[in-house]
Structures are given as structure tokens and as C-alpha cells.
Amino acid sequence: MKYKVAFGEKFMRLLTLLLLCGPLVAQQHGASTPEAAGNLPAQKIGPRDLIALQVYDSPELSRTVRVGADGLIRLPMMKQKINANGLMPNELESVIAKAFEEEGLVVEPFVTVTVAEYSSRPISVLGAVKTPLTFLASSPVTLLEAITRAGGLTPQTGSEILVSKTQPGPDGAQVSLIQRVQVKALIDAADPEANLKLTGGEEIRVPEAGKVYVVGNVKRPGAFAVQDGAESSVLKMLAVAEGLAPFSGKQAYIYRREASGSKNEIPIELGKIMDRKAPDAPLLPNDVLYIPDNRNKRLGMQTIERLLMFGTTAGATALMYGR
């Protein structure tokens, strides 16, 4: 009878001990398992992506793993490296489970793979945007969304946007593909075909518009934007520069750099253009319009001003002595 009582007491103590230690064991088991990452949209895994690996009933194998630059991952207690590059998460689950079985680590393993961070899908936006940046495409985005993240286009934006992406060619070599998107089609016309879908790895370049430089005898010299393909002329640029300054010459010059790299000086009859006796001269982006000074006219005005000053002084002197 005493033996049965003693056994009953020992059993109750053991049961109490198990109940007290149960939460601690569960906490330790949870600590060995990597934290569940945000459920990002399923995309192909690439170099430097961060994946969360969970192996059911094998917490020592569950962990977060960074994919190497070569697309390979290395797991503990495994001799072979696993190629994760280009695989979907569910495909990588099957590959890892098969590797565990082949090396005799786990019998009939149940593997779960989720992507914690897509580091292999950067999208860069640079050029004529308000805030150039690079961000990671955790899910597909559109061209407009990428430009919006960069703060939008600046007033100096040109007529087109260049979207380039490097991808393997037929022979396996990396080939850069460039798509040209017209700004008017994307922004003004809201053409859905111009709003490209980006999946990561793209570089978006927004070139600035070409400029015409107006210097010399104008009221507001400066560099003025000219959209590619838009018509510009001497009269239009003079209007933007707020017109001619006093003593401007009747002949002006256009300095233009040709495609070969050579520079040309093109004289134009500015006086005749202003008098509508000659056609307006066209200007191209990166042209320099120089309006020289009319030295003879300036010297003549300076002489008249000096004579007027002398005459005023002489008259005043005569009045003083006449008194």
C-alpha cells in the first residue's frame, strides 16, 4: 500500500514538472526556428536574395539563408551546394527536400521556402527626376510607379525615357536591351503600352532636354531647353531671352558642333531677320547663338553723350562768367 502511494506521489510530481517545463521547451523550439518573413509575391529567386527555410520537426535545419552571388546556397550538414538561381520558391522546396533525402539527413522531409527579401531585383531611376534612387522590386511595378517613387520628372526632362535591362542572350552572354518610351505617350496620352511592367534589374534613365545657349547682346542670356524634335529658331530664342539689348549688331553667329565633332560658325543676317527681309534661321539642341556688339553704334552713342555733357558744362561755364 505504501509502495502504491509513493508511486502515485512520484507520478504527480513528474507530471507537474512536465507541465511547468512544457512552455520553456516550446519557447526554445520556437527560438531555433527563423522568424516568419513577410509573405512577398512569388518570383524567381536570384543572387543575394534572402530566403527563410523551415524543415518540419527539424529545427536545427530551419534558418534564413542568403543566396550567394553565384546563385548557390549552402545548408548545414550538407555536402553539396544547392543552385537556387532562377527557381520559384516551391521548386526550391522540392530540390532541398530531395537533397536532404539523398544525403540521409531527413526521412521524407517537409520543406517550406519563403522569400524574406528580394535583393536581386534592384530598379534604378536616374537623370531628370527630382530624387534619383535605387529600390528593390519585391513585386512587379510599372514605369509610372518607379518614376513616382523618384519624385516625378523635372521641368528639364527630354522627350523620351530610356529603360535598359541586362539579360542572357542566345549564346549565354549578357545582352543589354534598351526600350525608348516617349514622355508624351506615357504622361499626356496615358498609353498603357508605354507604361512598361518592371520586374527588377531595370535601369531607368531620364535624359535632360537639349539646350540652346543665347549669349551676347540680349537682355537675359542663358541656356534654354529645347525638346528633341521640337522646332526652334533665332526669333523664338530671342523672345525667351527677352529680346535684344541696346547696341546689338546686325549680324549674329550660330556655333554648332557636328556629329563628326567639328565646330561650324554660321553667320546670319540678324538685322534682316528682325526687319522680316530674311527667313528665320532654325536652331538645334546644343547650338550657341551669339549676338555681338555693334561697336560703331556704341562708339557713336558714346561720342554724342560726351558732346552733350561738354555742351552742358560749357553752357553752365558761360553763364557763370557772363554774370
Side-chain angles (χ1 to χ4, degrees):
M1 186 67 179
K2 291 181 179 180
Y3 175 75
K4 290 183 178 180
V5 173
F7 177 78
E9 289 179 354
K10 288 182 178 179
F11 178 75
M12 290 300 295
R13 289 177 183 175
L14 181 61
L15 182 61
T16 303
L17 182 62
L18 289 174
L19 290 173
L20 291 173
C21 294
L24 295 175
V25 173
Q27 186 176 2
Q28 290 176 358
H29 184 274
S32 63
T33 304
E35 296 181 1
N39 190 17
L40 297 177
Q43 297 189 68
K44 290 184 178 181
I45 298 170
R48 293 177 291 277
D49 285 350
L50 185 66
I51 61 174
L53 170 67
Q54 291 184 334
V55 184
Y56 178 73
D57 206 25
S58 298
E60 70 279 2
L61 298 176
S62 300
R63 61 193 59 234
T64 54
V65 182
R66 177 77 67 180
V67 181
D70 54 0
L72 302 177
I73 59 174
R74 189 174 186 86
L75 299 176
M77 297 184 289
M78 287 192 66
K79 297 178 182 178
Q80 59 177 314
K81 291 183 179 181
I82 296 176
N83 185 10
N85 189 29
L87 298 180
M88 298 293 287
N90 61 333
E91 296 173 339
L92 184 57
E93 290 172 355
S94 302
V95 173
I96 293 175
K98 184 179 179 181
F100 279 145
E101 248 182 326
E102 288 178 350
E103 298 200 8
L105 296 175
V106 184
V107 178
E108 295 183 358
F110 183 78
V111 178
T112 303
V113 172
T114 56
V115 179
E117 179 183 291
Y118 282 112
S119 297
S120 62
R121 288 176 165 74
I123 295 178
S124 300
V125 187
L126 60 154
V129 291
K130 295 178 181 177
T131 311
L133 53 75
T134 298
F135 64 93
L136 298 178
S138 57
S139 60
V141 298
T142 63
L143 178 57
L144 270 179
E145 290 173 342
I147 292 174
T148 302
R149 292 195 186 192
L153 302 175
T154 64
Q156 292 78 30
T157 302
S159 61
E160 62 182 11
I161 299 170
L162 306 180
V163 181
S164 60
K165 184 172 184 176
T166 302
Q167 61 185 37
D171 56 351
Q174 295 294 320
V175 179
S176 181
L177 301 178
I178 300 177
Q179 291 179 277
R180 297 177 181 270
V181 178
Q182 297 299 315
V183 173
K184 286 186 177 180
L186 179 65
I187 305 297
D188 298 338
D191 186 356
E193 293 185 0
N195 194 16
L196 303 178
K197 183 180 179 181
L198 310 176
T199 57
E202 291 88 358
E203 183 181 79
I204 302 167
R205 287 177 289 167
V206 186
E208 290 189 356
K211 296 179 179 179
V212 170
Y213 303 87
V214 184
V215 295
N217 264 25
V218 292
K219 294 180 180 178
R220 189 168 70 93
F224 305 102
V226 179
Q227 296 293 340
D228 294 337
E231 293 183 359
S232 184
S233 65
V234 171
L235 288 179
K236 287 182 179 180
M237 286 297 104
L238 288 179
V240 175
E242 299 181 1
L244 296 170
F247 315 119
S248 58
K250 292 183 178 289
Q251 190 174 52
Y253 299 91
I254 298 173
Y255 295 96
R256 179 173 298 164
R257 183 182 293 274
E258 304 296 339
S260 60
S262 61
K263 292 182 180 180
N264 286 339
E265 181 184 85
I266 306 171
I268 57 172
E269 296 297 329
L270 182 60
K272 291 183 178 180
I273 293 175
M274 298 298 292
D275 294 336
R276 293 182 298 176
K277 294 180 179 179
D280 195 4
L283 292 173
L284 301 178
N286 299 319
D287 279 355
V288 177
L289 175 61
Y290 171 57
I291 308 341
D293 190 8
N294 189 333
R295 296 184 179 276
N296 294 331
K297 188 175 179 181
R298 181 181 290 275
L299 289 173
M301 288 299 298
Q302 288 178 351
T303 303
I304 293 172
E305 289 174 358
R306 288 174 183 173
L307 288 173
L308 288 174
M309 289 178 63
F310 175 76
T312 304
T313 306
T317 304
L319 287 173
M320 288 177 62
Y321 283 99
R323 290 179 182 179

